[in-house]
């Protein structure tokens, strides 16, 4: 089986390459070999390589910048998935796609279920919702995983930003009233592989770990767990100062409620999702054993 993974240099795409190579031959063009903004190039590539499965991890993910570049966000997050879905329908192959909690309004405090009415509060969320719709309307066989707060050992993300800022600053203010579940890219890739092996019924699924926290709670957990794993120079969790969204305006409004109901996915897989904190501990360990190893070396040098 030939598997096309788009966005293979991104957080999720990177992990997908590792997981899905167990299921087939992975084809992972980067932007240097296939510019996804070039519709003709994408058609030509598909015609030439004829994948048996498409996994679309490419996206426009710069949430604030999307407010200034709505056409670009709409192209990558909606027009491209629509094009891939049309191809999948014509060739009778499946499309796996990733979407976001940002398709929901972010109001209230209850977890969103997959049927909740979409009401995105920013350009990025709107573009993701249009992508989901286009895939469903195409009639192709599809799995859409809506996830939240993605991070990992590789790529740019909140965990790595906190580890850097924590060592640079004495004082860190972090948002306390946005609630969700931080989701490792590795978990997304593992569940994708499992869903394909178990031949999950097509449709939309929420994919996140169990439990919930705020960005503030997440920052505290990062510092606590990283200190426990030997990283020095980080503030104590108590030194992280909670601030509310209203006092920290960003170009794109953010949803306060990013809780996702996991029941559909857990029932389909026949297994509970792991808790976010255990996932964070594992991902931190993976980072410190790999790309973040210098944080431990610096600590050892300081201690010596
Ligand atoms: N990040 C989050 O917090 C979050 C939350 C919820 C849902 N999601 C969804 O999860 C999925 C994966 O997100 P992620 O965090 O892994 O994204 P990411 O790290 O930003 O990766 C995006 C990927 O898309 C590629 N790409 C963008 N424009 C391209 C172009 N013109 N041609 C070729 N490739 C292009 C990027 O390539 P380059 O490396 O060359 O730029 C990169 O490989 C997305 O659908 C996203 O919407 C993410």
């Amino acid at each position: 089986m030939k598997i096309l993974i788009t966005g293979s240099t991104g957080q999720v795409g990177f992990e997908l390459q590792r997981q899905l190579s167990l299921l087939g031959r992975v084809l992972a063009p980067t932007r240097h070999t296939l510019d996804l903004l070039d519709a003709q190039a994408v058609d030509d590539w598909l015609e030439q390589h004829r994948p048996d499965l498409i996994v679309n991890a490419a996206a426009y993910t710069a949430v604030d910048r999307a407010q200034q570049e709505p056409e670009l966000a709409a192209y990558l997050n909606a027009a491209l998935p629509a094009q891939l879905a049309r191809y999948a329908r014509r060739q009778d192959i499946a499309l796996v796609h990733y979407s976001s909690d940002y398709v929901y309004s972010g109001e209230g405090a209850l977890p969103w279920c997959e049927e909740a009415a979409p009401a995105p509060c920013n350009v990025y969320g709107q573009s993701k919702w249009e992508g989901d719709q286009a895939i469903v309307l195409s009639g192709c066989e599809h799995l859409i995983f809506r996830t939240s707060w993605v991070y990992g050992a590789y790529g740019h993300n909140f965990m790595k930003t906190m580890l850097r800022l924590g060592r640079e600053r004495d004082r860190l203010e972090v948002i306390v009233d946005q609630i969700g579940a931080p989701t490792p890219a590795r978990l997304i890739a593992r569940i994708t592989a499992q869903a394909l092996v178990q031949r999950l019924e097509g449709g939309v699924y929420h994919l996140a770990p169990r439990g919930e926290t705020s960005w503030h709670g997440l920052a505290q957990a990062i510092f606590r767990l990283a200190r426990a794993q030997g990283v020095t120079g980080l503030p104590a969790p108590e030194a992280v100062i909670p601030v509310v969204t209203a006092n920290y305006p960003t170009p794109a409004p953010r949803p306060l409620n990013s809780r996702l109901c996991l029941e559909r996915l857990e029932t389909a897989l026949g297994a509970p999702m792991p808790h976010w904190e255990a996932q964070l501990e594992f991902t931190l360990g993976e980072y410190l054993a790999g790309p973040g190893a210098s944080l431990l070396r610096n600590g050892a040098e300081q201690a010596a």
Side-chain angles (χ1 to χ4, degrees):
M1 177 166 67
K2 278 191 281 183
I3 306 170
L4 164 61
I5 300 177
T6 61
S8 58
T9 53
Q11 297 190 87
V12 173
F14 179 83
E15 299 288 349
L16 281 168
Q17 288 187 71
R18 303 208 281 196
Q19 290 285 338
L20 300 190
S21 61
L22 303 172
L23 305 185
R25 184 152 75 85
V26 165
L27 307 175
T30 66
R31 73 164 65 231
H32 304 296
T33 49
L34 176 60
D35 180 2
L36 299 170
L37 291 172
D38 183 342
Q40 188 59 53
V42 171
D43 273 344
D44 292 347
W45 194 98
L46 291 168
E47 207 46 52
Q48 187 187 343
H49 296 276
R50 298 196 164 257
D52 305 300
L53 170 69
I54 300 175
V55 183
N56 180 35
Y60 183 106
T61 55
V63 175
D64 284 325
R65 212 167 63 224
Q67 299 293 115
Q68 307 300 324
E69 297 181 333
E71 293 85 9
L72 203 50
Y75 192 87
L76 278 164
N77 293 346
L80 172 69
Q83 182 184 9
L84 298 176
R86 283 194 301 275
Y87 178 84
R89 175 86 178 102
R90 271 201 314 277
Q91 300 299 321
D92 200 19
I93 63 170
L95 170 64
V96 179
H97 178 73
Y98 301 93
S99 184
S100 167
D101 61 283
Y102 277 43
V103 304
Y104 305 116
S105 74
E107 290 165 5
L110 293 175
W112 300 103
C113 64
E114 288 84 349
E115 281 76 33
C121 67
N122 58 38
V123 166
Y124 167 77
Q126 178 65 29
S127 68
K128 294 301 291 183
W129 165 232
E130 287 169 8
D132 293 6
Q133 269 179 303
I135 292 169
V136 172
L137 290 174
S138 76
C140 76
E141 190 185 335
H142 63 269
L143 286 170
I144 297 175
F145 293 113
R146 287 193 186 134
T147 186
S148 61
W149 298 16
V150 177
Y151 73 103
Y154 301 89
H156 303 290
N157 56 63
F158 183 82
M159 179 185 81
K160 287 160 76 173
T161 303
M162 283 301 115
L163 290 172
R164 178 173 52 80
L165 292 180
R167 289 159 64 90
E168 288 171 5
R169 299 185 187 171
D170 299 334
R171 222 180 101 89
L172 271 182
E173 295 186 342
V174 185
I175 298 288
V176 74
D177 58 348
Q178 293 172 22
I179 309 295
T183 309
R186 182 186 28 75
L187 179 69
I188 296 173
R190 183 169 70 71
I191 296 296
T192 300
Q194 199 175 332
L196 291 168
V197 169
Q198 290 186 220
R199 298 187 178 282
L200 245 60
E201 191 183 334
V204 179
Y205 293 87
H206 289 161
L207 195 176
R210 279 192 174 189
E212 63 183 50
T213 187
S214 64
W215 294 109
H216 175 263
L218 176 56
Q220 287 190 311
I222 290 167
F223 293 147
R224 182 169 47 73
L225 293 168
R227 284 159 61 111
Q229 291 190 33
V231 181
T232 56
L234 292 174
E238 305 75 50
V240 185
I241 298 152
V243 293
V244 294
T245 305
N247 292 339
Y248 193 84
T250 47
R254 298 295 199 277
L256 296 185
N257 176 18
S258 290
R259 297 171 181 90
L260 295 174
C261 176
L262 304 175
E263 200 178 320
R264 177 179 290 173
L265 182 63
E266 292 185 334
T267 303
L269 293 175
M273 295 298 284
H275 194 272
W276 72 265
E277 209 161 340
Q279 287 287 298
L280 173 63
E281 188 170 11
F282 185 86
T283 309
L284 256 172
E286 195 187 13
Y287 176 60
L288 295 174
S294 66
L295 296 184
L296 292 178
R297 277 201 301 276
N298 291 347
E301 279 156 18
Q302 275 167 24

PDB file of all heavy atoms in Angstrom, residues 251-263:
ATOM      1  N   PRO A 251      -4.217  38.930  18.008  1.00  0.00           N
ATOM      2  CA  PRO A 251      -4.910  39.279  16.761  1.00  0.00           C
ATOM      3  C   PRO A 251      -6.111  38.382  16.494  1.00  0.00           C
ATOM      4  O   PRO A 251      -7.167  38.861  16.044  1.00  0.00           O
ATOM      5  CB  PRO A 251      -3.820  39.090  15.704  1.00  0.00           C
ATOM      6  CG  PRO A 251      -2.525  39.296  16.437  1.00  0.00           C
ATOM      7  CD  PRO A 251      -2.755  38.775  17.824  1.00  0.00           C
ATOM      8  N   ALA A 252      -5.974  37.081  16.741  1.00  0.00           N
ATOM      9  CA  ALA A 252      -7.113  36.165  16.562  1.00  0.00           C
ATOM     10  C   ALA A 252      -7.719  35.853  17.917  1.00  0.00           C
ATOM     11  O   ALA A 252      -7.004  35.423  18.826  1.00  0.00           O
ATOM     12  CB  ALA A 252      -6.642  34.875  15.907  1.00  0.00           C
ATOM     13  N   PRO A 253      -9.028  36.049  18.084  1.00  0.00           N
ATOM     14  CA  PRO A 253      -9.665  35.637  19.334  1.00  0.00           C
ATOM     15  C   PRO A 253      -9.471  34.135  19.546  1.00  0.00           C
ATOM     16  O   PRO A 253      -9.377  33.383  18.578  1.00  0.00           O
ATOM     17  CB  PRO A 253     -11.153  35.944  19.112  1.00  0.00           C
ATOM     18  CG  PRO A 253     -11.233  36.753  17.870  1.00  0.00           C
ATOM     19  CD  PRO A 253      -9.972  36.563  17.096  1.00  0.00           C
ATOM     20  N   ARG A 254      -9.383  33.722  20.803  1.00  0.00           N
ATOM     21  CA  ARG A 254      -9.199  32.298  21.120  1.00  0.00           C
ATOM     22  C   ARG A 254     -10.445  31.744  21.816  1.00  0.00           C
ATOM     23  O   ARG A 254     -11.040  32.427  22.644  1.00  0.00           O
ATOM     24  CB  ARG A 254      -8.006  32.099  22.051  1.00  0.00           C
ATOM     25  CG  ARG A 254      -6.656  32.521  21.492  1.00  0.00           C
ATOM     26  CD  ARG A 254      -6.286  31.641  20.317  1.00  0.00           C
ATOM     27  NE  ARG A 254      -4.866  31.648  19.993  1.00  0.00           N
ATOM     28  CZ  ARG A 254      -4.247  32.563  19.255  1.00  0.00           C
ATOM     29  NH1 ARG A 254      -4.914  33.591  18.773  1.00  0.00           N
ATOM     30  NH2 ARG A 254      -2.958  32.457  18.976  1.00  0.00           N
ATOM     31  N   PRO A 255     -10.799  30.469  21.524  1.00  0.00           N
ATOM     32  CA  PRO A 255     -11.906  29.841  22.261  1.00  0.00           C
ATOM     33  C   PRO A 255     -11.487  29.580  23.708  1.00  0.00           C
ATOM     34  O   PRO A 255     -10.344  29.188  23.952  1.00  0.00           O
ATOM     35  CB  PRO A 255     -12.128  28.520  21.508  1.00  0.00           C
ATOM     36  CG  PRO A 255     -10.892  28.276  20.730  1.00  0.00           C
ATOM     37  CD  PRO A 255     -10.195  29.584  20.514  1.00  0.00           C
ATOM     38  N   LEU A 256     -12.390  29.827  24.645  1.00  0.00           N
ATOM     39  CA  LEU A 256     -12.065  29.546  26.052  1.00  0.00           C
ATOM     40  C   LEU A 256     -12.291  28.066  26.372  1.00  0.00           C
ATOM     41  O   LEU A 256     -11.615  27.502  27.224  1.00  0.00           O
ATOM     42  CB  LEU A 256     -12.928  30.408  26.980  1.00  0.00           C
ATOM     43  CG  LEU A 256     -12.707  31.929  26.892  1.00  0.00           C
ATOM     44  CD1 LEU A 256     -13.541  32.650  27.950  1.00  0.00           C
ATOM     45  CD2 LEU A 256     -11.234  32.301  27.042  1.00  0.00           C
ATOM     46  N   ASN A 257     -13.268  27.482  25.689  1.00  0.00           N
ATOM     47  CA  ASN A 257     -13.603  26.083  25.974  1.00  0.00           C
ATOM     48  C   ASN A 257     -13.196  25.186  24.804  1.00  0.00           C
ATOM     49  O   ASN A 257     -13.886  25.127  23.795  1.00  0.00           O
ATOM     50  CB  ASN A 257     -15.100  25.959  26.240  1.00  0.00           C
ATOM     51  CG  ASN A 257     -15.527  24.519  26.449  1.00  0.00           C
ATOM     52  OD1 ASN A 257     -14.698  23.632  26.723  1.00  0.00           O
ATOM     53  ND2 ASN A 257     -16.821  24.257  26.303  1.00  0.00           N
ATOM     54  N   SER A 258     -12.080  24.488  24.969  1.00  0.00           N
ATOM     55  CA  SER A 258     -11.596  23.574  23.922  1.00  0.00           C
ATOM     56  C   SER A 258     -11.769  22.121  24.341  1.00  0.00           C
ATOM     57  O   SER A 258     -11.128  21.224  23.784  1.00  0.00           O
ATOM     58  CB  SER A 258     -10.115  23.850  23.638  1.00  0.00           C
ATOM     59  OG  SER A 258      -9.958  25.091  22.986  1.00  0.00           O
ATOM     60  N   ARG A 259     -12.646  21.879  25.331  1.00  0.00           N
ATOM     61  CA  ARG A 259     -12.858  20.494  25.798  1.00  0.00           C
ATOM     62  C   ARG A 259     -13.518  19.683  24.671  1.00  0.00           C
ATOM     63  O   ARG A 259     -14.490  20.135  24.077  1.00  0.00           O
ATOM     64  CB  ARG A 259     -13.781  20.478  27.013  1.00  0.00           C
ATOM     65  CG  ARG A 259     -13.233  21.206  28.235  1.00  0.00           C
ATOM     66  CD  ARG A 259     -14.332  21.316  29.287  1.00  0.00           C
ATOM     67  NE  ARG A 259     -13.896  22.014  30.489  1.00  0.00           N
ATOM     68  CZ  ARG A 259     -13.999  23.336  30.658  1.00  0.00           C
ATOM     69  NH1 ARG A 259     -14.494  24.121  29.706  1.00  0.00           N
ATOM     70  NH2 ARG A 259     -13.602  23.888  31.794  1.00  0.00           N
ATOM     71  N   LEU A 260     -12.997  18.481  24.429  1.00  0.00           N
ATOM     72  CA  LEU A 260     -13.550  17.612  23.386  1.00  0.00           C
ATOM     73  C   LEU A 260     -14.054  16.313  24.007  1.00  0.00           C
ATOM     74  O   LEU A 260     -13.324  15.659  24.771  1.00  0.00           O
ATOM     75  CB  LEU A 260     -12.470  17.289  22.343  1.00  0.00           C
ATOM     76  CG  LEU A 260     -11.941  18.478  21.527  1.00  0.00           C
ATOM     77  CD1 LEU A 260     -10.770  18.045  20.644  1.00  0.00           C
ATOM     78  CD2 LEU A 260     -13.052  19.104  20.680  1.00  0.00           C
ATOM     79  N   CYS A 261     -15.272  15.942  23.674  1.00  0.00           N
ATOM     80  CA  CYS A 261     -15.827  14.670  24.151  1.00  0.00           C
ATOM     81  C   CYS A 261     -15.167  13.535  23.357  1.00  0.00           C
ATOM     82  O   CYS A 261     -15.140  13.568  22.126  1.00  0.00           O
ATOM     83  CB  CYS A 261     -17.339  14.657  23.951  1.00  0.00           C
ATOM     84  SG  CYS A 261     -18.070  13.082  24.397  1.00  0.00           S
ATOM     85  N   LEU A 262     -14.657  12.543  24.062  1.00  0.00           N
ATOM     86  CA  LEU A 262     -13.862  11.479  23.411  1.00  0.00           C
ATOM     87  C   LEU A 262     -14.636  10.177  23.249  1.00  0.00           C
ATOM     88  O   LEU A 262     -14.090   9.173  22.794  1.00  0.00           O
ATOM     89  CB  LEU A 262     -12.606  11.204  24.248  1.00  0.00           C
ATOM     90  CG  LEU A 262     -11.716  12.417  24.527  1.00  0.00           C
ATOM     91  CD1 LEU A 262     -10.579  12.046  25.472  1.00  0.00           C
ATOM     92  CD2 LEU A 262     -11.163  12.984  23.223  1.00  0.00           C
ATOM     93  N   GLU A 263     -15.906  10.205  23.638  1.00  0.00           N
ATOM     94  CA  GLU A 263     -16.660   8.953  23.720  1.00  0.00           C
ATOM     95  C   GLU A 263     -16.705   8.195  22.390  1.00  0.00           C
ATOM     96  O   GLU A 263     -16.531   6.977  22.354  1.00  0.00           O
ATOM     97  CB  GLU A 263     -18.080   9.276  24.194  1.00  0.00           C
ATOM     98  CG  GLU A 263     -18.784   8.084  24.779  1.00  0.00           C
ATOM     99  CD  GLU A 263     -20.176   8.460  25.284  1.00  0.00           C
ATOM    100  OE1 GLU A 263     -20.328   9.546  25.878  1.00  0.00           O
ATOM    101  OE2 GLU A 263     -21.094   7.663  25.034  1.00  0.00           O
TER     102      GLU A 263
END
